Amino acid sequence: MKTVLMVQGSLRKESFNRQLMAAIQEALGSEVELKELSYEDLPLMNQDIEWPTPQPVQRVREEVKAADGLWVVSPQYNASYPGHVKNLIDWLSRPVAQGDSTTVAKSKKVTFSGIAGRTAAAEMREKLGSLLSFVGMDVMSAMGEGFVVNGSAWSDNVVVLDDVQKASIKAQAEQFLRFIEA
Ligand SMILES: Cc1cc2nc3c(=O)[nH]c(=O)nc-3n(C[C@H](O)[C@H](O)[C@H](O)COP(=O)(O)O)c2cc1C
């Protein structure tokens, strides 16, 4: 069975993107083993502490290495992705051993989504797609998938996905399953 590692870009408890992630997990169904990456304990990138590899970095890299694919679900912060998402990708982009050019990011299959206001997180998605490609990941589609959140969620934090959005999630999930099988 294939393993998909979900990377949640929002740390907020009632996050719109956490609710989107739940819908994605449901769409992926029982055909894959799903895990969520825990990376809140990653230190901020600092080349002074790269060697020996900090334990949280080691653990995160092992989880990424073991997964057949990554699915990043992220909010848009100031027309981009949150800083902690960049910090994670920066750690994944660095060599696993000194004097070796191997990274866990290289050729890792990845897709991404985001839910936000009326831009459907387009600026975040454009920049995230570029970043993931830059570090050598195998990106399924350059812009991922974006969703406009229902207006009431801004006051009650309850995300309600309509049928078109649900169909789009299902289509992306099916495409990603084929992508990681290939
Ligand atoms: C630092 C910060 C910057 C934001 N910048 C944008 C933005 O550029 N565009 C946008 O549509 N929403 C922006 N938002 C609003 C977020 O989309 C909104 O807070 C959303 O609920 C965050 O996702 P989450 O619910 O998954 O945490 C920003 C929020 C924060 C905290």
Side-chain angles (χ1 to χ4, degrees):
M1 190 181 263
K2 298 285 183 187
T3 304
V4 174
L5 190 61
M6 307 294 301
V7 178
Q8 177 51 248
S10 175
L11 307 179
R12 197 169 79 89
K13 285 194 200 74
E14 294 186 285
S15 157
F16 302 162
N17 285 280
R18 179 157 291 285
Q19 293 172 70
L20 172 63
M21 192 171 86
I24 292 166
Q25 288 173 315
E26 198 180 319
L28 283 167
S30 51
E31 291 173 62
V32 285
E33 189 182 335
L34 286 167
K35 284 186 180 169
E36 181 181 345
L37 182 69
S38 164
Y39 65 99
E40 287 176 50
D41 56 346
L42 276 188
L44 291 177
M45 168 51 70
N46 174 351
Q47 287 182 270
D48 290 341
I49 61 161
E50 262 196 298
W51 315 109
T53 305
Q55 199 280 328
V57 175
Q58 183 75 32
R59 178 184 50 75
V60 161
R61 285 184 181 153
E62 279 165 16
E63 284 193 55
V64 169
K65 190 170 178 224
D68 295 296
L70 256 58
W71 193 320
V72 184
V73 184
S74 176
Q76 174 162 311
Y77 280 3
N78 294 315
S80 188
Y81 36 74
H84 46 266
V85 172
K86 178 66 160 52
N87 188 54
L88 166 67
I89 303 300
D90 285 342
W91 278 113
L92 299 182
S93 75
R94 299 291 287 172
V96 291
Q98 245 169 329
D100 183 349
S101 62
T102 311
T103 76
V104 293
K106 182 86 182 128
S107 303
K108 183 60 64 177
K109 291 178 189 283
V110 65
T111 193
F112 54 95
S113 326
I115 187 164
R118 59 189 165 76
T119 64
E123 292 151 306
M124 179 283 289
R125 289 182 290 115
E126 183 185 355
K127 287 167 186 160
L128 185 60
S130 298
L131 173 68
L132 300 175
S133 294
F134 185 85
V135 301
M137 288 186 161
D138 187 0
V139 182
M140 185 171 80
S141 73
M143 281 295 285
E145 282 296 332
F147 302 92
V148 177
V149 75
N150 48 296
S152 53
W154 294 104
S155 49
D156 65 11
N157 276 310
V158 177
V159 173
V160 181
L161 297 164
D162 64 26
D163 288 346
V164 173
Q165 291 173 322
K166 285 181 190 164
S168 168
I169 291 167
K170 189 75 191 157
Q172 188 182 4
E174 285 169 359
Q175 192 188 351
F176 193 55
L177 291 177
R178 289 195 298 273
F179 186 63
I180 62 174
E181 289 288 344

